[in-house]
Amino acid sequence: MSTPINHHYVSQCQIRNFFNGQDKLIYCYDKQLDNYFSKSTTKSLFSEEFSNTRVGTNDELDHETLENELNLYFEQDFEKHSRNVVELANNPHNNDDTKLESLYYLVLYALIADIRIPENKKNIDESYATLMRETAMKVRMLGDEKQADEIEKSLINDKTKYSNVVHYTEIAASRLAKMGDLDFNVYAIGKSSDKFLLPDIGCIQMRERFNNYINPYIQEVAIVGIPLTDKVFIFACSKKLGDTSSGVTTNNDENSLIVKGINTQLFEMSIKTVATGDPHHLKN
């Protein structure tokens, strides 16, 4: 059995929540090319070959480690937790500990959204390479040619697109710990025909300075926005921000300003493409 090399940077379990089952299509808009198009499968949307591939311990290509980590900790139970939150959105009084567990599961998924994006992976690698080249130059100025050469040699990677020297679970756990306790606001579209958009970044993140560090410019993820389905959107905010609250808001009005405001954010923060289950809502 061959190892898959097409890796999603927005998980299929999330994309499927925006797939139009009746039309058997998902509708997309490329804002860079001003192009409307559709796909009959989620397999080729928001994906890239070798996106999670890295060099293994024996210098072999490792296509599986990051994919397995994503599946085990962020995707395997996504559908179950999505259903649980949709149930909460449809019946806010049916709130219990399982709903809170599901919301936190989905927040962990959102907290790694940015580091899965190809553009960000490339930027991280380039920033690291610049730092190490500067280090090599300083080492060479001190007279250690051999050490400088070793540093520069370590930067050579002609096997994979990205270094992918990350552990998604560690990053998610660290970011959640820094956020602390959360408040959740669930926005549901009721009788209206409105739809939420799914951007090619999966989820949105907003950063604020709310922990005390010597460096006053350090900002951390304070808010995440999760387009869960084309009818349900989640905002999760750190209580450290102050003046936050939790609740469920249902919008039954056509062309709701709340839905429009959320979709505007999703559209503007997308890199290139947004998708949804109704082509009408890509043109409004």
Side-chain angles (χ1 to χ4, degrees), residues 20-79:
N20 187 317
Q22 183 175 347
D23 294 353
K24 296 183 179 180
L25 291 171
I26 186 166
Y27 298 93
C28 310
Y29 175 65
D30 184 323
K31 65 183 185 181
Q32 292 182 2
L33 300 177
D34 188 23
N35 179 43
Y36 295 92
F37 62 98
S38 62
K39 285 182 172 287
S40 59
T41 177
T42 61
K43 291 181 180 180
S44 59
L45 182 62
F46 303 152
S47 67
E48 179 186 61
E49 288 190 352
F50 307 109
S51 186
N52 280 322
T53 299
R54 62 186 181 188
V55 178
T57 53
N58 296 318
D59 211 34
E60 81 286 0
L61 291 182
D62 177 3
H63 305 297
E64 296 182 290
T65 298
L66 282 180
E67 284 289 289
N68 290 340
E69 184 180 2
L70 278 169
N71 180 58
L72 182 61
Y73 295 104
F74 301 97
E75 298 173 337
Q76 188 170 270
D77 294 323
F78 189 96
E79 184 178 351

Side-chain angles (χ1 to χ4, degrees), residues 1-7 63-64 67-68:
M1 183 177 178
S2 61
T3 301
I5 59 172
N6 181 50
H7 301 154
H63 305 297
E64 296 182 290
E67 284 289 289
N68 290 340

Side-chain angles (χ1 to χ4, degrees), residues 104-171:
Y104 270 98
Y105 177 96
L106 295 167
V107 165
L108 288 169
Y109 171 85
L111 285 171
I112 62 167
D114 59 323
I115 57 173
R116 297 176 62 186
I117 299 169
E119 287 81 357
N120 288 348
K121 289 189 175 194
K122 181 180 179 181
N123 290 337
I124 290 170
D125 283 351
E126 289 177 348
S127 296
Y128 176 76
T130 298
L131 177 63
M132 295 308 292
R133 288 191 196 99
E134 291 174 354
T135 301
M137 181 179 67
K138 292 175 183 177
V139 169
R140 184 168 280 113
M141 289 173 66
L142 293 173
D144 194 339
E145 288 286 340
K146 182 179 179 181
Q147 181 66 22
D149 288 343
E150 288 179 358
I151 293 172
E152 290 175 342
K153 185 179 179 181
S154 71
L155 296 174
I156 299 173
N157 175 21
D158 55 4
K159 292 187 174 183
T160 62
K161 285 185 176 179
Y162 318 110
S163 62
N164 282 319
V165 186
V166 296
H167 293 284
Y168 291 136
T169 51
E170 292 179 6
I171 292 171

Side-chain angles (χ1 to χ4, degrees), residues 254-279:
E254 293 290 338
N255 301 313
S256 161
L257 291 178
I258 292 177
V259 175
K260 185 176 181 179
I262 291 172
N263 279 338
T264 297
Q265 273 192 311
L266 293 169
F267 179 83
E268 291 179 350
M269 296 183 76
S270 67
I271 295 173
K272 183 180 180 182
T273 307
V274 292
T276 195
D278 186 341

